[in-house]
Amino acid sequence: STTPVTVTVTGAAGQIGYALLFRIASGQLLGPDTPVRLRLLEIPQAVKAAEGTAMELDDCAFPLLSGIDITDDANAAFDGANVALLVGARPRTKGMERGDLLEANGGIFAPQGRAINAGAADDIRVLVVGNPANTNALIAQAAAPDVPAERFTAMTRLDHNRALAQLSKKLSVPLTEIKKMTIWGNHSATQYPDLFHAEVNGKSAAEQVEESWLRDEFIPTVAKRGAAIIEARGASSAASAANAAIDHVYDWVNGTAEGDWTSAAIPSDGSYGVPEGIISSFPVTSRNGRWEIVQGLDIDAFSREKIDASVAELVEEREAVKALGLL
Ligand code: NAI
């Protein structure tokens, strides 16, 4: 199609924004036939930096980039938006309690949800990257009652890709031979990367690794990878986070491969005992622009306990946000 798709990116002047915008403008978010119009939302102090990034975007002369608007006004940013990548968030600072963190993010994601409700296009699709991503997505969704709930998602694709990378290294197999990886639950240290349904060369991944590696190395390495990146790089994951956001939206719009699935945090329909409405990571496929939870997987006692623990954390976050009047 030749009509540009409007893509709104919040936190555009941040590190993920810098790694993300050029890939969107080059066509990697939606595909090589779709022109893009970018809308960058920032806080007033960072608008100038976003303008600098926009100058560089101009200087790339991307044929698919049909325009860039920069604003500190959420209503302007989401007006007519088809895709919204909510990256900007309030980070946890020293001594901050979870309640304070959720409240501060409520102050960002509730107004953004209202602006999406008021002005976004009918086909709006929202991916929340900014942490705590699952609960921020829930806050934005609650503020947008006229938008179908399923359009609000949160990112666990980075965790999914990290799990693929760890398994590929462990078994010395190409990534292309690994299928059906799953991240369950919250994008936090309680997440559960599941090898019992993953397949390598068509055979169970769990059966090809030692149980101790799965339990004591694989799961914690994936779950704590974000902290390991900060420790090594002196800054949090940025290019890999941007890459995962690209993967999530690309698959949502263009569909997942036949015979495989991916991971995304989407509103639960009650599948696998996850309370309805919680935005939790599941094994998902995408068809015709909609995510569907993969059904019928057997969940053994080990996996059940891990999924339940992460979902319990999400339920607690939902309760905390409810208590703040945000839902
Ligand atoms: P950053 O601090 O470099 O950039 C954040 C940007 O957001 C800043 O430019 C800031 O001015 C902007 N911002 C803050 N409040 C805003 C608002 N109300 N409206 C618009 N913009 C606003 O942070 P970075 O590294 O880009 O990370 C962004 C978020 O992504 C963080 O919350 C981080 O924890 C999260 N993250 C999530 C991952 C995931 O897998 N779900 C992976 C990596 C990071």
Side-chain angles (χ1 to χ4, degrees):
S1 83
T2 48
T3 321
V5 170
T6 298
V7 179
T8 302
V9 179
T10 76
Q15 1 162 47
I16 294 175
Y18 195 75
L20 182 59
L21 292 169
F22 297 86
R23 296 191 58 187
I24 298 172
S26 74
Q28 291 177 293
L29 186 78
L30 298 166
D33 303 321
T34 309
V36 169
R37 179 162 194 94
L38 278 172
R39 291 270 181 72
L40 313 186
L41 179 66
E42 259 296 350
I43 55 175
Q45 310 87 285
V47 162
K48 188 163 177 231
E51 285 168 354
T53 304
M55 289 164 69
E56 284 201 76
L57 283 161
D58 283 343
D59 295 348
C60 292
F62 287 121
L64 289 174
L65 183 57
S66 75
I68 313 172
D69 308 302
I70 304 162
T71 180
D72 61 7
D73 172 31
N75 286 311
F78 294 111
D79 186 42
N82 306 103
V83 176
L85 301 170
L86 308 188
V87 180
R90 173 73 161 78
R92 190 189 287 260
T93 39
K94 235 190 156 108
M96 204 176 189
E97 301 291 334
R98 185 173 64 180
D100 302 334
L101 181 73
L102 293 173
E103 188 164 30
N105 279 294
I108 295 173
F109 288 87
Q112 289 181 2
R114 283 195 288 275
I116 288 168
N117 199 55
D122 287 344
D123 67 347
I124 180 71
R125 287 185 175 80
V126 181
L127 171 62
V128 176
V129 174
N131 282 318
N134 303 51
T135 297
N136 287 341
L138 197 63
I139 294 168
Q141 181 198 63
D146 302 332
V147 176
E150 68 192 35
R151 305 289 184 76
F152 287 84
T153 65
M155 192 167 91
T156 53
R157 186 62 172 264
L158 178 53
D159 309 295
H160 177 98
N161 288 344
R162 286 166 171 166
L164 290 174
Q166 292 302 316
L167 185 63
S168 158
K169 276 191 202 295
K170 169 71 178 172
L171 294 175
S172 302
V173 293
L175 287 151
T176 47
E177 287 173 15
I178 307 176
K179 305 268 186 275
K180 303 183 179 175
M181 183 64 75
T182 306
I183 304 293
W184 298 90
N186 199 2
H187 169 67
S188 77
T190 67
Q191 66 177 263
Y192 173 49
D194 174 1
L195 288 188
F196 292 96
H197 301 99
E199 294 175 1
V200 178
N201 290 317
K203 287 178 291 189
S204 163
E207 283 169 23
Q208 297 177 60
V209 299
E210 309 84 44
E211 200 197 317
S212 61
W213 182 81
L214 187 158
R215 196 184 49 227
D216 303 329
E217 288 191 51
F218 173 73
I219 294 174
T221 298
V222 172
K224 295 179 191 161
R225 185 72 164 177
I229 301 281
I230 293 173
E231 175 66 24
R233 209 173 81 86
S236 62
S237 323
S240 55
N243 178 69
I246 297 272
D247 285 351
H248 177 115
V249 173
Y250 186 91
D251 284 355
W252 195 356
V253 171
N254 295 294
T256 43
E258 208 48 60
D260 199 1
W261 66 61
T262 187
S263 304
I266 67 170
S268 177
D269 60 0
S271 294
Y272 298 103
V274 180
E276 198 177 335
I278 290 281
I279 298 184
S280 184
S281 189
F282 287 100
V284 291
T285 56
S286 161
R287 295 274 172 276
N288 306 318
R290 293 182 66 145
W291 291 118
E292 278 179 30
I293 297 171
V294 175
Q295 295 297 329
L297 302 180
D298 283 328
I299 307 294
D300 69 5
F302 178 84
S303 297
R304 185 75 264 165
E305 194 183 320
K306 299 265 180 216
I307 295 169
D308 287 351
S310 195
V311 168
E313 184 182 51
L314 285 171
V315 170
E316 273 177 36
E317 287 182 18
R318 179 170 72 173
E319 292 311 310
V321 158
K322 252 189 209 159
L324 292 166
L326 292 165
L327 296 187

